Amino acid sequence: MRGRLASIGAETTPLSEGWNLVLTEPGACASPHELPLSGHVIPAEVPGTVAAALERAGLFDRENPRPLDTQDAWYVCRLFDTPPGDAILRFEGLATLCHVFLNGQEILASESMFTMHEIPVTLSGGDELAMCFRALAPRLSESGPRARWRPQMIAPQGLKNVRTTLLGRMPGWCPEIHAVGPWRAVTLVRRDVVSIDNVSVRATLEADGTGKLSVSLYADVDNPSLMLRCAGREQPFEKVGEKHYSAILRLADVEAWWPHTHGEPHLYAFSIVVDGVEINVGKTGFRRIEVDHGDDGKSFGLRLNGEPVFCRGAVWTTADIVRLPGQRHDYEPFLRLAAEAGMNMIRIGGTMAYETPEFYALCDELGLLVWQDFMFANFDYPKNDKAFMAHVHAEVEEFLHGVQGSPSIAVLCGGSEIYQQAAMLGLPAEFWNNPITEEVIPAIASRLRPDVPYIPNSPFGGAMPFSPNAAVTHYYGVGAYMRPLADARRADVRFAAESLAFANVPQQKTLQRYLDVPPVHSPLWKTRVPRDRGASWDFEDVRDFYLGELYDVDPTVLRREDKDRYLDLSRAVTGEVLEETFAEWRRNGSRCNGALVWTLQDLLPGPGWGVIDSTGEPKPIWYAMRRAFRPVQVVLTDEGTNGLDVHVINETNHILKLDLEIVCLRRGKQHVVSGGRILTLEPRSRETFAATDLFGAFFDTTYAFRFGAPSHDVVVARLRLPDGGLVVADAFYFPIGRAKASHDADISVALTRDGKHWFADLTTDCLAQSVHLTADGFRASDDWFHLAPGAPKRVELVPLPGKTEEDVPSGKVASIGCARSFAF
């Protein structure tokens, strides 16, 4: 019996302890009774993986992984403390070819990593439970149905026939660590006298602001007393079929759920009262999501509760490539940093793995939208294999059942780069399509989550699937394809489900601890740099291209002659590119509705794609995202001979009174011209001002006319609270380039305490580019930022674990234009 949704009101016991792992040759043992007594026994945890168990035993090195798909892996446990009687064994995820034995008898054969199983059993007490994960390599070598194309980035090709994650199977993209073992929980379930099964939940927000909570369920007794309770309201269930009951509860003037950048992610706890006993089911939120295709019908954007939302964020990988964990404490550090950076969307791509309900519950709480791919990517999947299609039906239904009440689910997508793969190999459009993404998944999604938009693949929608000027694209014009920054506008990006991949350099303290080798020249360093399989370049070459473009240096010479400066410029440049690109996409008049950066977190310490390193430490580019993603924002765009445009954005639901000021500086300090305006920004509004209108006269802010020598090297725009208050947002423009605006700034730092919080107050005598703070045991709230005279900047120093509020921070401040550092 395959379980579709966990029961409620039942006693559930995790079977997490007492497991032993034994590795054998493929097919050496048909049952656990044949395991050799001399076999090497390794303690193991469940949920867990073979890699994690071996790593804890000192037998596996994630930095130099060995194949884990060439042996059988046996997990054996004696259920000494489990009383006899009828029960259900629930297996929430078995990776990947698994046979389960109870007291030596096989009770389950599973061939999908993404399918849950519930097996009714009768226990006698002291039972032996065993799971054998058969070697996957022999299965992958089987030819299977003939494919119309072969993707190069994934190996081996036999993966298209097996339902398992592609993590660890993409050379150059991630460490080759294979997913093997009971990666999700194994539990024992004993039903109560009255058990509730197949609970279906749907929460919607109607146009008049009414929240509608619909719940249906099955009860194993006739005519129980059932009541749905939420927000102080109750609604009795009605019988609608054999043991089938439903209730619809309407909540007038409900508080809508919003992404945190646009409002509050309001959640409501709801429960089911069974014969007078209240059972908490969980929390849900009320929201309405629609797709906006734009005036020309070619766009893709989301409207939440009637309001357009510019989606920004990153693509999730995994909380740990070895453990593949799924508990709240595993997810929380990364997701909180995502929200803190101003992200409002996380995408789980088709090359990754489904996460647990705890992931989506956290996104619900934090106000993070989730773009969810189903786990199909690049391959020409078999469409006439009945067993394979049965796995597809099961995994899609089970995933959607598990997240059916989650308001954060914003987009459901059939998979990643299937259409793009076929198109880039020159195949005609009729070859791209597959009934899995065109028919099977959308049919299930429309039944179980009709409130969530569905698209068949990412990218999707243009003349080519990857055309950036229509629907959904994976945009790497700025990035992997090393196009100039102006391409971000020229490409007319509508929605980028992936974008801006760089080999992002971590903070120096991460390198010193985990990768203390010369950059680029060390083979160990290069193994951490992501690359496309078969390409003559890697993503460090991409970063170096923009380093040369923005700072007018030769990166190959710089890293030989001044390694530290090379690393600092490398840390700064990817953030500069990101800020400038998102300024273009968020400007008033842009047709871009969102962009997600590739990726959120690294899988190993080093210069990976992640904006957060694998230790959980934000990289310098994370701070740039935090500035670029502010809900209240000012950005500057170069309009050539039309001058400089100043765009002001208010995504909040509040009226804001702010002062806008703009100033041009010569040699980073001398005031040349300035202007400003007192603003009243309406909620969800954007305004644009020509810089010359703010000055009240012509001034060549972009140095487009070139009448003589340039009169300034930086333009600074700020949004302040009224009457000279704190700076809410700022933006910088370099008319003659960043290199010519590099100054030996004299930075003053004052350490202050306000209540329980420590702050560094910074001022400068002239422009300081990419100011960096280091304080042992503390993390700066902002870092790698530009600092100009005329506006002191306050940076909070947040204590890391191990520090108390009584510890006084000490450290230093530096900038990339200055050889000196300043202690505090």
Side-chain angles (χ1 to χ4, degrees):
M1 172 175 126
R2 179 179 290 121
R4 292 173 53 190
L5 187 71
S7 306
I8 63 172
E11 179 187 353
T12 302
T13 304
L15 302 180
S16 56
E17 299 178 353
W19 292 91
N20 288 316
L21 169 65
V22 178
L23 300 178
T24 68
E25 292 302 308
C29 303
S31 75
H33 296 160
E34 298 178 13
L35 286 172
L37 297 177
S38 60
H40 185 191
V41 177
I42 301 163
E45 292 182 355
V46 175
T49 64
V50 171
L54 293 175
E55 186 177 63
R56 280 192 298 272
L59 301 173
F60 186 82
D61 180 3
R62 66 175 66 201
E63 297 181 6
N64 298 282
R66 61 183 176 90
L68 296 175
D69 59 1
T70 59
Q71 292 179 290
D72 290 351
W74 288 85
Y75 282 73
V76 182
C77 180
R78 182 72 70 173
L79 307 179
F80 289 112
D81 298 326
T82 303
D86 292 339
I88 291 175
L89 283 171
R90 178 180 296 145
F91 303 89
E92 297 186 9
L94 303 168
T96 289
L97 305 179
C98 183
H99 297 265
V100 180
F101 301 83
L102 182 65
N103 298 324
Q105 299 297 312
E106 184 170 338
I107 60 173
L108 170 66
S110 174
E111 293 194 338
S112 173
M113 176 177 175
F114 305 129
T115 304
M116 181 176 75
H117 300 274
E118 290 183 339
I119 310 298
V121 296
T122 300
L123 301 177
S124 56
D127 303 85
E128 182 188 73
L129 183 61
M131 300 177 287
C132 177
F133 296 89
R134 297 294 182 186
L136 189 58
R139 177 71 170 269
L140 296 179
S141 65
E142 298 174 3
S143 58
R146 182 177 176 84
R148 294 169 293 180
W149 67 82
R150 294 166 62 89
Q152 186 176 20
M153 67 176 248
I154 305 169
Q157 297 298 311
L159 284 163
K160 74 179 188 301
N161 305 315
V162 180
R163 296 308 300 140
T164 192
T165 181
L166 299 181
L167 281 167
R169 304 285 185 173
M170 296 172 284
W173 278 40
C174 65
E176 296 183 52
I177 299 171
H178 301 147
V180 183
W183 73 302
R184 294 293 180 243
V186 177
T187 54
L188 190 70
V189 180
R190 296 185 189 270
R191 297 187 182 278
D192 291 347
V193 176
V194 177
S195 70
I196 305 298
D197 296 296
N198 290 334
V199 181
S200 296
V201 179
R202 186 170 302 162
T204 56
L205 181 69
E206 299 185 339
D208 64 356
T210 298
K212 185 171 76 171
L213 179 61
S214 305
V215 178
S216 70
L217 53 83
Y218 287 82
D220 65 350
V221 296
D222 289 327
N223 301 315
S225 173
L226 295 170
M227 188 78 68
L228 176 62
R229 183 176 291 169
C230 181
R233 298 281 305 279
E234 292 184 343
Q235 178 67 37
F237 282 80
E238 297 180 358
K239 190 171 185 178
V240 294
E242 182 68 24
K243 298 184 179 181
H244 186 194
Y245 302 85
S246 70
I248 298 176
L249 181 59
R250 294 181 180 274
L251 302 171
D253 299 320
V254 74
E255 294 281 359
W257 185 94
W258 289 94
H260 75 100
T261 51
H262 288 66
E264 293 295 324
H266 291 285
L267 294 173
Y268 289 82
F270 66 102
S271 59
I272 297 172
V273 183
V274 183
D275 291 338
V277 178
E278 184 172 17
I279 302 170
N280 293 321
V281 179
K283 293 182 179 180
T284 191
F286 299 91
R287 57 96 182 100
R288 184 172 65 257
I289 298 183
E290 302 154 302
V291 174
D292 184 352
H293 293 292
D295 295 337
D296 62 359
K298 297 180 180 180
S299 196
F300 182 92
L302 295 184
R303 299 182 71 91
L304 267 291
N305 309 324
E307 296 289 343
V309 171
F310 183 89
C311 299
R312 63 272 197 177
V315 179
W316 176 267
T317 53
T318 177
D320 189 311
I321 184 65
V322 168
R323 296 187 297 118
L324 297 178
Q327 297 185 16
R328 180 185 176 99
H329 66 264
D330 301 305
Y331 299 131
E332 192 162 8
F334 292 108
L335 291 179
R336 287 202 177 277
L337 284 173
E340 190 179 336
M343 302 183 202
N344 60 18
M345 177 174 274
I346 297 293
R347 175 177 169 226
I348 300 180
T351 54
M352 310 303 174
Y354 300 106
E355 298 297 346
T356 65
E358 284 85 351
F359 179 95
Y360 305 94
L362 261 169
C363 291
D364 295 343
E365 294 175 28
L366 296 171
L368 291 169
L369 299 165
V370 178
W371 174 303
Q372 177 69 53
D373 282 9
F374 291 92
M375 297 301 117
F376 301 92
N378 295 80
F379 283 119
D380 180 22
Y381 288 97
K383 56 187 177 182
N384 298 318
D385 185 324
K386 292 184 179 179
F388 184 90
M389 295 301 287
H391 292 317
V392 173
H393 278 269
E395 74 180 63
V396 172
E397 288 200 11
E398 287 166 13
F399 169 76
L400 291 176
H401 268 290
V403 298
Q404 59 188 321
S406 174
S408 61
I409 304 291
V411 178
L412 294 172
C413 177
S416 174
E417 295 191 353
I418 298 173
Y419 295 15
Q420 171 175 302
Q421 186 76 69
M424 282 192 163
L425 291 173
L427 297 174
E430 58 266 25
F431 279 69
W432 309 345
N433 302 339
N434 189 299
I436 293 174
T437 60
E438 296 277 352
E439 301 168 16
V440 174
I441 299 177
I444 300 171
S446 65
R447 175 166 51 87
L448 297 180
R449 287 303 301 257
D451 59 312
V452 181
Y454 176 84
I455 66 168
N457 211 244
S458 178
F460 174 79
M464 288 282 104
F466 44 84
S467 298
N469 62 352
V472 176
T473 190
H474 292 178
Y475 175 74
Y476 295 113
V478 176
Y481 307 142
M482 291 178 271
R483 301 282 296 165
L485 297 187
D487 192 73
R489 180 179 297 198
R490 185 180 299 117
D492 191 19
V493 175
R494 304 301 184 92
F495 194 108
E498 295 177 12
S499 66
L500 299 184
F502 298 104
N504 293 305
V505 179
Q507 302 278 32
Q508 187 61 28
K509 62 182 179 181
T510 299
L511 294 183
Q512 288 173 342
R513 183 172 181 182
Y514 297 100
L515 194 63
D516 193 12
V517 297
V520 181
H521 296 296
S522 166
L524 182 56
W525 176 280
K526 269 303 186 184
T527 62
R528 305 291 174 86
V529 176
R531 62 189 58 80
D532 280 328
R533 192 180 184 200
S536 61
W537 49 269
D538 62 25
F539 284 83
E540 190 150 59
D541 297 322
V542 174
R543 188 191 68 231
D544 281 354
F545 170 81
Y546 290 101
L547 193 156
E549 289 288 300
L550 270 62
Y551 294 102
D552 195 23
V553 295
D554 183 339
T556 60
V557 174
L558 184 63
R559 67 174 176 249
R560 285 198 305 267
E561 297 181 353
D562 191 342
K563 173 178 69 77
D564 292 339
R565 180 167 173 77
Y566 169 77
L567 286 174
D568 280 344
L569 286 177
S570 296
R571 293 181 178 104
V573 69
T574 55
E576 291 292 287
V577 172
L578 181 142
E579 286 196 72
E580 195 157 325
T581 302
F582 272 90
E584 175 58 47
W585 288 338
R586 292 187 70 191
R587 68 180 171 86
N588 203 6
S590 168
R591 297 201 290 184
C592 182
N593 298 300
L596 309 178
V597 172
W598 183 268
T599 61
L600 181 67
Q601 71 271 67
D602 281 342
L603 302 175
L604 290 175
W609 281 314
V611 301
I612 304 170
D613 71 34
S614 62
T615 73
E617 178 70 20
K619 292 184 180 180
I621 192 174
W622 178 88
Y623 294 94
M625 295 178 88
R626 194 174 188 210
R627 295 187 292 271
F629 293 173
R630 290 177 287 215
V632 180
Q633 179 70 310
V634 58
V635 299
L636 298 170
T637 58
D638 184 341
E639 305 299 327
T641 54
N642 288 315
L644 199 65
D645 275 357
V646 185
H647 307 270
V648 179
I649 303 166
N650 175 23
E651 292 180 330
T652 75
N653 57 354
H654 304 292
I655 296 175
L656 300 179
K657 294 184 181 298
L658 297 169
D659 292 345
L660 171 63
E661 62 182 38
I662 182 170
V663 59
C664 298
L665 301 174
R666 179 185 293 123
R667 291 190 290 275
K669 65 170 67 175
Q670 185 178 343
H671 187 124
V672 178
V673 65
S674 63
R677 187 161 298 182
I678 298 173
L679 303 178
T680 299
L681 298 177
E682 295 298 319
R684 325 285 192 205
S685 66
R686 294 190 290 183
E687 295 188 36
T688 299
F689 307 93
T692 49
D693 287 346
L694 299 174
F695 298 145
F698 169 73
F699 182 77
D700 189 8
T701 49
T702 58
Y703 193 49
F705 295 94
R706 301 183 182 272
F707 296 147
S711 58
H712 63 298
D713 57 12
V714 65
V715 182
V716 185
R718 300 186 183 100
L719 279 179
R720 289 183 182 271
L721 295 177
D723 302 321
L726 293 176
V727 174
V728 175
D730 54 10
F732 296 80
Y733 170 74
F734 302 93
I736 54 176
R738 288 165 177 78
K740 291 184 173 63
S742 182
H743 304 291
D744 186 12
D746 190 0
I747 302 173
S748 298
V749 191
L751 189 66
T752 59
R753 186 170 185 176
D754 186 353
K756 296 181 179 180
H757 303 280
W758 287 101
F759 297 90
D761 292 320
L762 288 78
T763 59
T764 182
D765 66 331
C766 68
L767 175 70
Q769 287 190 52
S770 299
V771 175
H772 172 46
L773 291 83
T774 56
D776 186 37
F778 291 81
R779 177 184 296 151
S781 61
D782 197 6
D783 205 2
W784 299 94
F785 53 84
H786 301 320
L787 182 65
K793 186 176 181 71
R794 168 165 281 195
V795 178
E796 184 176 359
L797 301 174
V798 181
L800 297 173
K803 289 288 184 180
T804 70
E805 60 188 48
E806 300 304 320
D807 291 319
V808 180
S810 64
K812 63 181 181 179
V813 176
S815 67
I816 61 172
C818 180
R820 299 173 294 161
S821 62
F822 306 90
F824 62 88

